[in-house]
Amino acid sequence: MTAHADPPGPVSRRWSALDTAAGGLALDLGLYAAATIFAAITAATSTLPPHRAWGVIATAGYALATLAATTQLLARRRDPGTALAGLPARWTVTGLTWATTALLPVVVQSVQRAGGRTDRAQEEVIVVEHAGTRLAEHGTPYLGPDAIAALPPGEQLLGYTPYQPGMALFGLPRAAVDAWWTDARVWFAVVTALVLAALVTTLRTTGGPTTSRRTAAVLRAVQAATVLPVCALTLATGGDDLPVLALCLLALALAAADRPGRAGLAVGAAGALKLFAWPVAIVLVCWAATRRAAGRTALGALGLPVLALVPVLLVDRDALVENVLRFPLGHGLVTSPAQSPFPGHLIAETLPAGRAVAAALLVAVGLAIAVRLLRRPPRTAAATAAICGYGLLAAILLMPSTRFGYLLYPVALLVLAPALTLTERPNRDLGAPPFPATARRDAAGGRTPEE
């Protein structure tokens, strides 16, 4: 049994043509120019003070990146072989752009917040830091329903911690020292940078000699997780999604390197932070099953989140259920403010029994993906990334309560897929996989060994 790549479809061919136009610089320029406009509009019109503050700094950062990409494109037209338009130069511009549009705003807003500004962090930053304090003092990051009910009505929302227990670790520095560098966003950024560095190292050292095509694909994947405005804005103002995303991407890169055990640990660490990683973990286990490595992958992918839940479950079960289950499902004392105008939210708000309709659509999509995984499990990391990306996109669009920023997950996963395709090691002959004949027929070019 060997891994195989399906023939590229029209969408893949169009993306490839766009991605490689002018040596990749055309899309770079489009990305930075569009991001400049997005940041400027955010600075001028956003009703959220942290977002406006980000927009002011990010507009300048993206404008400089646009100027740099324009210069590179002009230099390439004069001399196609110039180093100014080469991949190392593109990597440099990407790194500087992330520094000016994400890392610099993180530092500036953290310093201003430490200086007394109360409008320089979104609610999730405060929630994570409070969770860290409670974890240090009481052994659980969660408040029970009675404790939340006792809070003033305006503070009950901040009493909820709708994350997995591992997220509270990012709040521990603030529990120890009250300083700008203990802002949870600073540690979100540090972990994200370290994980993305591991991602790049994994992709660039796997699968034989590194080619310019593969390096360009890795660069595009990194851009999707860093300088894309939705990612830079999220890291600078809230930040909790970026370490989760980075760990999921690293898990897929490790899968492409044929390291299922490490892939399970990476996605398990993400799952110990946030529920968004759990679908990725399930699909990765299905991928590992085609290589007879489901046990090794599941040990980390499912074991780490369970291990993180056990201590807080023993300390206060009701608090865990209230925060992790009741509140996200809309049965808490207050409702989530996450209400972007996606189809699921519009259906829930406008149609009779709209929430039930949206929930039914979400369940139908989940069942369709489950059937697909059983009948034709992904045999490559790239296929795994594509299933995760499209599945999360469908879920985000259909959930009654969701955020625009969650789109960073499917976008980054789908953009990573080409880099995984160019990196992937061939699957070894491991005998008949533990899946139905339909899946084996697909892997054998239309016929099963028995046929």
Side-chain angles (χ1 to χ4, degrees), residues 105-126:
V106 165
V107 173
V108 170
Q109 293 202 30
S110 298
V111 170
Q112 291 177 343
R113 182 180 173 219
R117 293 291 298 266
T118 59
D119 60 349
R120 285 297 178 264
Q122 289 190 176
E123 290 85 354
E124 50 262 43
V125 178
I126 301 169

Side-chain angles (χ1 to χ4, degrees), residues 9 57 89 112 173 198 230 302 403 411 414 420 435:
I57 299 175
Q112 291 177 343
V230 68
L302 306 179
R403 295 182 185 272
V411 169
L414 293 173
L420 299 177
F435 280 98

Side-chain angles (χ1 to χ4, degrees), residues 248-284:
C248 289
L249 299 180
L250 176 60
L252 290 164
L254 291 168
D258 198 19
R259 301 172 186 170
R262 296 183 184 183
L265 290 173
V267 77
L273 301 177
K274 205 165 186 179
L275 280 171
F276 255 103
W278 288 27
V280 179
I282 293 171
V283 180
L284 261 176

Side-chain angles (χ1 to χ4, degrees), residues 226-241:
T226 55
V227 299
L228 197 69
V230 68
C231 293
L233 171 62
T234 299
L235 181 61
T237 60
D240 57 282
D241 285 297

Side-chain angles (χ1 to χ4, degrees), residues 339-353:
Q339 295 181 348
S340 295
F342 289 142
H345 175 69
L346 297 177
I347 290 172
E349 294 297 319
T350 59
L351 294 182

Side-chain angles (χ1 to χ4, degrees), residues 120-396:
R120 285 297 178 264
Q122 289 190 176
E123 290 85 354
E124 50 262 43
V125 178
I126 301 169
V127 167
V128 170
E129 291 175 353
H130 287 176
T133 299
R134 287 193 291 268
L135 179 63
E137 294 177 354
H138 307 293
T140 177
Y142 306 116
L143 286 176
D146 293 338
I148 295 174
L151 295 173
E155 299 178 13
Q156 288 181 350
L157 180 61
L158 293 179
Y160 279 98
T161 305
Y163 310 117
Q164 298 302 290
M167 190 65 75
L169 298 178
F170 291 97
L172 288 178
R174 178 53 62 95
V177 180
D178 188 2
W180 74 266
W181 55 269
T182 61
D183 190 295
R185 289 169 294 184
V186 172
W187 296 98
F188 290 145
V190 169
V191 171
T192 299
L194 292 175
V195 175
L196 288 178
L199 164 75
V200 172
T201 300
T202 300
L203 292 178
R204 296 186 70 172
T205 58
T206 298
T210 301
T211 64
S212 59
R213 184 183 174 196
R214 184 169 66 174
T215 303
V218 174
L219 171 61
R220 192 67 75 204
V222 170
Q223 287 177 328
T226 55
V227 299
L228 197 69
V230 68
C231 293
L233 171 62
T234 299
L235 181 61
T237 60
D240 57 282
D241 285 297
L242 269 300
V244 180
L245 172 65
L247 285 166
C248 289
L249 299 180
L250 176 60
L252 290 164
L254 291 168
D258 198 19
R259 301 172 186 170
R262 296 183 184 183
L265 290 173
V267 77
L273 301 177
K274 205 165 186 179
L275 280 171
F276 255 103
W278 288 27
V280 179
I282 293 171
V283 180
L284 261 176
V285 170
C286 292
W287 162 83
T290 68
R291 296 177 175 238
R292 295 195 179 279
R296 278 185 291 158
T297 304
L299 186 63
L302 306 179
L304 282 181
V306 171
L307 190 63
L309 286 169
V310 168
V312 297
L313 184 65
L314 295 176
V315 172
D316 193 336
R317 183 189 63 182
D318 288 342
L320 174 66
V321 172
E322 178 70 20
N323 286 263
V324 177
L325 293 179
R326 294 196 189 107
F327 178 73
L329 293 175
H331 298 294
L333 300 176
V334 292
T335 58
S336 172
Q339 295 181 348
S340 295
F342 289 142
H345 175 69
L346 297 177
I347 290 172
E349 294 297 319
T350 59
L351 294 182
R355 284 195 167 269
V357 173
L361 291 173
L362 193 59
V363 170
V365 169
L367 290 175
I369 294 174
V371 170
R372 199 278 188 196
L373 290 173
L374 289 173
R375 291 179 58 85
R376 191 181 175 190
R379 299 184 175 279
T380 65
T384 304
I387 293 173
C388 293
Y390 287 120
L392 285 176
L393 177 61
I396 291 166

